[in-house]
Amino acid sequence: MKRIIVLSMIGFVLFVFGVYVFYTAWFEISSIRLVNSTRWTFVVGIVVCFIFNRFWGAHGFFHTFTHELIHALACLLCGGSPIAFQATSKQGGAVVLNRSNFFVTLAPYIVPLWSIVALITFRILIWLKAAHVALPYVSFLTGFFMMYHLHSLWYTMRPAQPDLKKYG
């Protein structure tokens, strides 16, 4: 019973963090005054991702690849290195690491990788003075990938998930 309560609390904290990251991305993009339609492209990205996940699904290779890639990148950030990497559409995936900890194990549930990539790309475009051209596209991609991350959380946050069993 205590284990279920702890797992529920961890799941709730991770969900709240995901909503916070989603809100922060929305706030950051909507506060930029370069293009008035920025908010709408963000929302369109969310809607397109929702439709995409509904009809095509995000449970295949890309989902597994992203999940395992985030484990590997988190390991690199913590001073370790990936030894083996496998991602398949039908059998899931696995990454063998020489170092692991709480953050490395739970990183796929905390880090919206592709949204971060979109926002870093936008920051680079600001430095190159090309942000005004790319803003609607970056806004769309950020909305799309934030929804993708929330969908991934919904799909993978289950008691049988090995990552959650380890630190639950």
Side-chain angles (χ1 to χ4, degrees):
M1 182 67 176
K2 189 175 185 180
R3 179 179 165 90
I4 291 173
I5 293 171
V6 170
L7 283 174
S8 298
M9 289 174 37
I10 289 172
F12 179 74
V13 168
L14 292 175
F15 178 76
V16 168
F17 183 75
V19 170
Y20 168 76
V21 170
F22 183 83
Y23 173 78
T24 303
W26 169 267
F27 180 75
E28 285 297 319
I29 288 178
S30 65
S31 68
I32 299 169
R33 299 287 182 224
L34 295 175
V35 179
N36 292 336
S37 64
T38 303
R39 290 180 186 157
W40 295 111
T41 55
F42 184 82
V43 171
V44 168
I46 292 170
V47 170
V48 168
C49 185
F50 183 79
I51 293 169
F52 176 79
N53 285 328
R54 175 76 176 121
F55 293 107
W56 192 46
H59 314 303
F61 176 76
F62 187 71
H63 171 73
T64 304
F65 175 79
T66 301
H67 183 93
E68 301 305 332
L69 178 63
I70 294 172
H71 280 305
L73 292 173
C75 179
L76 288 170
L77 285 173
C78 292
S81 62
I83 297 169
F85 185 95
Q86 176 188 1
T88 64
S89 60
K90 301 210 187 275
Q91 298 175 342
V95 62
V96 179
L97 309 167
N98 70 347
R99 178 178 293 170
S100 184
N101 58 32
F102 183 78
F103 173 70
V104 172
T105 302
L106 298 180
Y109 309 98
I110 301 169
V111 179
L113 177 67
W114 301 117
S115 291
I116 292 171
V117 169
L119 293 172
I120 289 171
T121 302
F122 183 64
R123 178 54 65 185
I124 291 168
L125 291 171
I126 288 174
W127 289 333
L128 297 175
K129 308 239 186 275
H132 63 285
V133 175
L135 182 60
Y137 304 106
V138 172
S139 176
F140 173 85
L141 289 174
T142 303
F144 183 91
F145 287 123
M146 287 305 295
M147 186 64 185
Y148 176 80
H149 181 71
L150 291 175
H151 182 265
S152 296
L153 283 176
W154 182 262
Y155 173 70
T156 58
M157 294 286 285
R158 60 188 187 282
Q161 174 64 300
D163 297 337
L164 299 176
K165 278 185 173 181
K166 184 173 182 178
Y167 283 102

